[in-house]
Amino acid sequence: MEQTKSKKGGFTSAIGFILAAAGSAVGLGNLWAFPYKTAENGGAVFVFLYVACVLLIGAVTMICEIFIGRRAQANPITAFKKINKNLGWIGLIAIVVPTIIVCYYSVLGGYTVRFATNSFWGNADNLGDFAGESWQVILFTAIFMALALVVVMAGVKGGIEKASKVLMPALFILLVAVVIFVLCLGEGVKEGLSYYLIPDFSKVSFSTLLAALGQAFYSLSLGMGAMIVYGSYTGKEINIVKSTGMICVFDTMVALLAGLAIFPAVFHFTSKAGIDTSTLDLNGIMLMFETLPKVFESIGYIGNIIEFFFFAMVVIAAVTSVISIIEVASQFVIQKFKISRKIAAGAITLITFAVSIPVSISLGYLLTGKAQMTIFGLDWLSFLDTVTNTIFMPICALLSCIAVGWFIGPKQAINELTADGNKFGKLEGFISVMIKFVVPVLIAVIEVFGVVELLFPNGNFDANGLGIVLVSYLLFGLLIGIYFLFIKERETGTNADELLK
């Protein structure tokens, strides 16, 4: 009876689950981080390493996280408690991480909404003006969060799945259309493709491999509870292995296509305007909100149209990602406190929105050169991003693999999966070794080198980096303490608790 109800309240089809999970994975990182990291790390060499890392570390970790959620049909804390009562604290971390991420990701989401709606009035050189008007940033952040909240409030079947079935195909169609247009621009396109894809072996080093590992890991939304939660909404009729493969393919395709859209356009612009490409900022937020508007608007009125479609696509990617991370905390609150979905999602959104206000102000100070509002030398957005991406997410993913590999056991996990129609064939032994040994080691490498980079950027000790590391691990220890003091012996609910309401 409970299993039937769980299925009714979860995803109704494999394609619904795949598109929702792909929506969680495809985000702002795909649309700006992957292209510039590719260019910085040797072009096609980085792409090859990235794809290999997606297959080796990303897919295996995703299978583990989805499997943990599905076998429990419950929120992350209950899911880990069902593996071992003493492991529930891992689930608590998996809930806290996405909640923190919402606080700053939504600010960037607000930027995408504003730039999409302002495409026909000119976004070029307006980043500083917009960032400096805190009330505008807060308003557009609220609009962005409201879009996600409406979907989460509607539930898994009527909200997340239905929205994903519309938004993900729309995102892909828009991206392909933008790529086709850009590749037909002519002047400078060939040079842009060369910059993006032709291997530059002089840039290849051990750091290239680390960059590919990190990008594969973060691009797939691993270590933040989202795949555990979405996995809990699946039934045995959904093939986890096949679905994971399709999610990874879709995510990688979006990342690759983003580069094909961005760099030929940038080089076309620089070629026509006689500007040296090295003078443009091709990194992160500046690439998205400073360089690209100049590129599109240099094309003329048709460029404004393409700019609108591009930022509309970015809004879709951001919304589908933030939906999944709001759902993580919402699911737990619903199941633990037995309250309605609307109240739970609304409360989580209001709390994270309140925190997003100082985050947006701090980022505005950074972009406008005003008096700094920092934590350990970083604006609030960069600080929270560093804590979650560099410290917490690798640990959470590592612990998920350990839970499957060492507590459940890879053989038992594979037996449970194959009983549901998942096929590994002759790869069973290889997958077992990957889950138990190889993937945990690779994730540990990401964690260790991330911490080392914080402590010794450019080889020199940084006191601010030490502060970030200490605060992160203190928070980590605090969460473990909270679990054993207040949560371990208490009921934390399952999916059925929402469905019985």
Side-chain angles (χ1 to χ4, degrees):
M1 184 72 171
E2 181 177 314
Q3 176 63 29
T4 302
K5 288 184 178 181
S6 282
K7 288 172 67 177
K8 285 184 178 179
F11 295 109
T12 60
S13 64
I15 190 63
F17 165 67
I18 291 167
L19 289 175
S24 175
V26 173
L28 298 179
N30 295 71
L31 298 175
W32 76 45
F34 179 81
Y36 81 74
K37 286 184 180 179
T38 298
E40 287 182 342
N41 290 280
V45 176
F46 178 82
V47 173
F48 173 79
L49 290 173
Y50 168 78
V51 172
C53 290
V54 166
L55 295 174
L56 291 175
I57 185 173
V60 173
T61 306
M62 185 178 288
I63 288 172
C64 288
E65 292 192 356
I66 295 173
F67 171 68
I68 288 171
R70 194 180 76 172
R71 78 191 298 269
Q73 296 288 292
N75 65 78
I77 293 179
T78 300
F80 280 99
K81 286 172 74 173
K82 285 192 174 185
I83 297 173
N84 185 295
K85 198 170 186 178
N86 292 319
L87 295 181
W89 56 272
I90 304 173
L92 178 59
I93 294 171
I95 292 169
V96 171
V97 169
T99 305
I100 295 173
I101 292 174
V102 174
C103 298
Y104 67 85
Y105 195 91
S106 296
V107 175
L108 295 175
Y111 274 62
T112 67
V113 173
R114 193 270 186 180
F115 274 67
T117 56
N118 197 57
S119 295
F120 295 99
W121 289 270
N123 286 316
D125 299 316
N126 282 337
L127 176 60
D129 292 337
F130 173 65
E133 294 288 344
S134 298
W135 70 269
Q136 283 196 51
V137 179
I138 293 169
L139 172 63
F140 279 97
T141 300
I143 293 172
F144 174 79
M145 296 186 81
L147 292 173
L149 179 61
V150 168
V151 176
V152 176
M153 280 185 169
V156 179
K157 176 184 175 182
I160 296 172
E161 182 173 2
K162 185 177 290 186
S164 298
K165 284 182 176 180
V166 174
L167 294 177
M168 293 312 294
L171 182 150
F172 190 74
I173 291 169
L174 287 174
L175 181 54
V176 170
V178 172
V179 169
I180 292 172
F181 173 81
V182 168
L183 293 180
C184 293
L185 287 175
E187 186 179 354
V189 169
K190 184 177 180 180
E191 290 76 10
L193 291 173
S194 298
Y195 177 81
Y196 175 49
L197 293 176
I198 292 180
D200 183 356
F201 294 102
S202 66
K203 294 182 179 180
V204 177
S205 63
F206 183 65
S207 63
T208 305
L209 176 59
L210 288 177
L213 272 170
Q215 181 62 26
F217 178 79
Y218 303 126
S219 176
L220 294 171
S221 292
L222 303 174
M224 62 171 67
M227 293 303 164
I228 296 174
V229 169
Y230 277 8
S232 77
Y233 293 136
T234 65
K236 292 184 177 181
E237 75 283 358
I238 293 179
N239 188 306
I240 292 177
V241 176
K242 185 183 295 184
S243 298
T244 297
M246 295 179 70
I247 295 164
C248 291
V249 167
F250 192 92
D251 181 78
T252 303
M253 285 179 63
V254 169
L256 292 171
L257 287 171
L260 291 177
I262 290 171
F263 288 109
V266 169
F267 275 75
H268 172 75
F269 165 68
T270 56
S271 178
K272 284 189 65 177
I275 298 173
D276 187 346
T277 307
S278 63
T279 63
L280 295 176
D281 197 333
L282 300 179
N283 294 330
I285 193 168
M286 299 305 290
L287 168 63
M288 183 68 68
F289 300 116
E290 183 72 27
T291 300
L292 286 178
K294 292 180 181 177
V295 170
F296 289 127
E297 289 167 31
S298 71
I299 301 171
Y301 187 73
I302 189 67
N304 294 111
I305 298 174
I306 297 301
E307 182 178 2
F308 170 75
F309 284 125
F310 179 84
F311 279 108
M313 172 187 68
V314 178
V315 170
I316 291 172
V319 167
T320 54
S321 290
V322 86
I323 285 169
S324 68
I325 52 182
I326 290 176
E327 176 64 20
V328 176
S330 297
Q331 183 200 44
F332 170 71
V333 172
I334 292 166
Q335 295 177 8
K336 167 62 179 172
F337 300 104
K338 310 297 187 294
I339 61 177
S340 74
R341 169 170 286 273
K342 290 182 179 180
I343 293 175
I348 296 298
T349 303
L350 282 175
I351 292 169
T352 51
F353 173 68
V355 179
S356 76
I357 293 174
V359 172
S360 65
I361 294 172
S362 176
L363 180 61
Y365 284 177
L366 175 70
L367 295 175
T368 57
K370 294 180 180 178
Q372 296 299 294
M373 180 179 168
T374 62
I375 303 175
F376 294 114
L378 297 176
D379 65 275
W380 285 41
L381 188 150
S382 298
F383 172 75
L384 295 178
D385 181 62
T386 301
V387 169
T388 53
N389 282 265
T390 304
I391 307 293
F392 275 81
M393 286 170 59
I395 292 177
C396 193
L398 171 64
L399 294 171
S400 295
C401 290
I402 290 174
V404 174
W406 293 89
F407 285 83
I408 297 175
K411 187 173 182 179
Q412 175 63 27
I414 289 173
N415 286 340
E416 290 184 35
L417 284 170
T418 51
D420 297 339
N422 293 268
K423 295 181 180 180
F424 293 94
K426 296 180 180 179
L427 292 175
E428 285 190 14
F430 172 76
I431 296 296
S432 295
V433 172
M434 292 296 294
I435 292 174
K436 197 166 186 178
F437 300 106
V438 178
V439 172
V441 169
L442 291 175
I443 297 175
V445 168
I446 294 174
E447 174 75 11
V448 170
F449 277 89
V451 171
V452 169
E453 180 61 28
L454 282 174
L455 295 175
F456 301 97
N458 302 315
N460 299 313
F461 175 73
D462 181 43
N464 285 329
L466 176 62
I468 295 171
V469 171
L470 289 177
V471 167
S472 299
Y473 286 121
L474 283 173
L475 177 57
F476 186 83
L478 178 63
L479 292 173
I480 295 175
I482 289 172
Y483 173 76
F484 283 101
L485 287 173
F486 304 108
I487 301 177
K488 179 184 175 184
E489 301 301 329
R490 290 176 169 81
E491 179 61 41
T492 46
T494 68
N495 290 0
D497 291 310
E498 177 182 3
L499 302 171
L500 292 173
K501 293 290 289 183

